[in-house]
Amino acid sequence: MEAYIIDFNPYSKTIEGMINVRAINLDNVGALVIGTNREARKTDLEETVDILENLQNHMDCERIGKTDFAAFFPKGREVDVQGDKYLVGSMIVLKVTEYGLEPLDEDDYKLAKNELESRRISFSENGKKYVTFKLS
């Protein structure tokens, strides 16, 4: 299935420059669901919407470092350690653009997964071991 995204640029001096219509194939987009247990998978657009709707009343969101990705996760899973933010558990990841959130295509999925794998950190506190993702 194909859909069209309309990007609106109000700063353009011409009508043609204000609106950019681009087609996306909805069969190949979704989100990344990844957990500190090393499990990762791609969701389709329908499952992505379902997950976000289920989280909507008890969800936090953090930008993943200086990347174009944002992580959405249940409240209370974020830990602040000496000014840095870490996530324990799983998250769903979408792309942040100047126009808002967008689903991930195959390249975005790989980039987001690699970025998060590089941010997986283990630490111990009070005799317990935690596996986290560094968000900031």
Side-chain angles (χ1 to χ4, degrees):
M1 179 191 313
E2 194 171 79
Y4 296 92
I5 293 179
I6 299 174
D7 295 330
F8 180 69
N9 178 0
Y11 303 108
S12 176
K13 297 193 184 303
T14 66
I15 294 293
E16 294 81 17
M18 284 186 183
I19 299 172
N20 176 32
V21 179
R22 55 194 166 92
I24 61 169
N25 183 345
L26 294 179
D27 297 328
N28 297 323
V29 297
L32 166 66
V33 173
I34 189 166
T36 51
N37 63 357
R38 295 202 172 280
E39 290 184 21
R41 65 184 178 85
K42 186 175 182 180
T43 64
D44 62 18
L45 203 51
E46 184 178 346
E47 184 181 8
T48 300
V49 171
D50 286 345
I51 291 169
L52 292 173
E53 283 179 348
N54 286 326
L55 284 174
Q56 73 181 343
N57 294 324
H58 57 279
M59 168 175 57
D60 279 331
C61 176
E62 274 294 324
R63 189 84 174 247
I64 301 170
K66 295 181 180 183
T67 69
D68 291 334
F69 303 110
F72 297 86
F73 47 89
K75 285 185 180 183
R77 299 284 176 95
E78 189 179 323
V79 180
D80 191 330
V81 179
Q82 299 178 346
D84 289 322
K85 293 180 182 175
Y86 297 86
L87 174 76
V88 178
S90 61
M91 67 180 89
I92 185 167
V93 179
L94 293 165
K95 187 172 185 176
V96 179
T97 71
E98 61 186 287
Y99 304 105
L101 294 173
E102 289 189 10
L104 305 180
D105 61 22
E106 196 62 38
D107 290 338
D108 293 330
Y109 175 82
K110 290 174 187 171
L111 284 171
K113 185 176 178 194
N114 288 340
E115 178 66 30
L116 285 162
E117 290 293 341
S118 73
R119 293 170 168 272
R120 189 185 315 271
I121 295 171
S122 298
F123 65 91
S124 296
E125 187 174 308
N126 298 331
K128 292 185 177 181
K129 184 178 178 180
Y130 298 94
V131 181
T132 66
F133 289 113
K134 184 176 182 184
L135 297 174
S136 61

